[in-house]
Amino acid sequence: MGLNKKFLAIGIGAVAVAGAVVGVVVAKSQPKGMTVAISELPDSLNPVLEQNIAGLNANELIFDGLANYEIDSVSGKLYTELALAEEITQDEKTLKNYTVTLRDVFWNDGDESTPGTPVTSDDVVYSFKAYTYDGNNSPKRDYLKSFIKDVTAIDSRTVNIEFKDPIPAYNAIPVLTFKIVPSKYNGLAMNVDMRSGDNERKFSQSPVGTGPFKLKKWEIGKWLEFTRNGSYFKTVPQADSLVIKRTIDPVVRMNELSKGRINVILETNPMDRPTVEKIDNVDINSYLPYAFYQIEINTSIIKDADARKAMAMALDKPNLIPSITDRETGVVINNGLYPTNIFQVAIPNYVNEPLPNHLPYDVQKAKALAASSGLANQNINLIYPDSMGDFGKALAEGVAAQLREIGVNVEAKRTGNQVFNRMLNKEKSFELALVYHGGFDNLYSSIDSMYRSNGADNVTGIADAELDSLFDELATKNKTEDWAKQILKINEKVADLSPALYLCSLQKDVYSRGLSNVLMATDNPFLSVEDWKFKN
């Protein structure tokens, strides 16, 4: 059967430089264009390798998959649409093999007078090999390997993708949204090991892609400037340029928005909405992201699992921030490592029940556990980053106040972003830390890196062989029912270990000013970027 139309996405799935001339420092002015303010710039622009959220978002500007996620402008729903693939046809006998015919598309390594290098089957084959090469430790490696057995070239524009098991098109197409990267860069063949080699490192800082925009300049620590890809094979962007600007302080971001110097704010404070609504010409897009707030516990300091369980059972989560966490809509109170509504969002036709709460709110039991574990009367610091602003302050102080109710002396401390990141990720010198985790797909398939022994994102220090095995088994579950059962097992095991205090997922607001056609339905803000334009 031929596939060349839209498919619903159904659950398959964060140092300034100056120039000197004759001893005089020359200030470099910010480039013009649609300006998006964020607190942290990308640390890489290579979609194969591990990236922060800013890098993941910027991938959408530069790269395409065989299929892309898009936002329906009428319903606001996500769907998948063929992108670099002109047609995808399923083998009706095996139901496992899909033949992909590529569009006639070019990499943006050319100029206005010379087309770039054609996209070929070699690029698709290379991309899959790079994602699944163990040495790259790609966040998408296990996900792709759990579905796809092999990718082979039939000819220069035709690829065969063999899935491990028979899979219907509506499940297969979302798997093929992984970004395609070139097999050659600067005229040289790219090594499948993208972590070593000068050419591969240069690609991460100055990539070529097929997307609606291309990188023009990266001013380290300040901004990234992108220009329109005039030969984009889909809708050519309506705006000439886009700037992603580093603006750490949320107060400064709001001031810049009100003065018209910033067009889009992605990291917003739920407590700011009444103020924002009073600013002229501001549009507010709201959605429930694949993201959540939680308190990380340093398990090398708070070693007793009962002590950690005591803190979990001390939290009356709906009342952490009255008027925000107690809303009936736009709030999901989380009781485990996955958002409580994961089944209802990802697989409602199979499971429509929330995840069970293994550590429910119970002050008396929490007090008893705090006393028996030695947690009571301890002095503990709860840090949160500057970038969370007043909302982070209110949430952290709400948690601290509730923990004090069971006899734990917790003090919430606002910390500069760089210091916070150092204490959390490098030194592991924190006791409790309020963290916002985002950048997930709707199955949270990369969340295991936060819980595996020595996982790349494991800041709590939790290490448990049984939990590692449960995640290993999860990667093998291709049937939806088996996947759901494994999620329940993992949820129960993590509750027993209690390496974190799970808080909530909140509706997210994105503010835009002076722009039209800005649509948001997911944490990736650039799905509709081709349509953004300045208002008259």
Side-chain angles (χ1 to χ4, degrees), residues 29 81 91 186 230 255 267 279 336 369 372 451 460 470 489 494:
S29 60
E81 184 175 68
D91 186 311
N186 286 333
N255 288 339
E267 300 155 280
I279 302 175
L369 284 174
S372 64
Y451 295 92
T460 67
L470 289 173
K489 291 180 182 179
V494 170

Side-chain angles (χ1 to χ4, degrees), residues 153-168:
I154 298 174
D155 57 40
S156 63
R157 290 190 58 208
T158 314
V159 175
N160 178 69
I161 297 179
E162 181 182 359
F163 284 80
K164 290 186 173 181
D165 297 295
I167 184 170

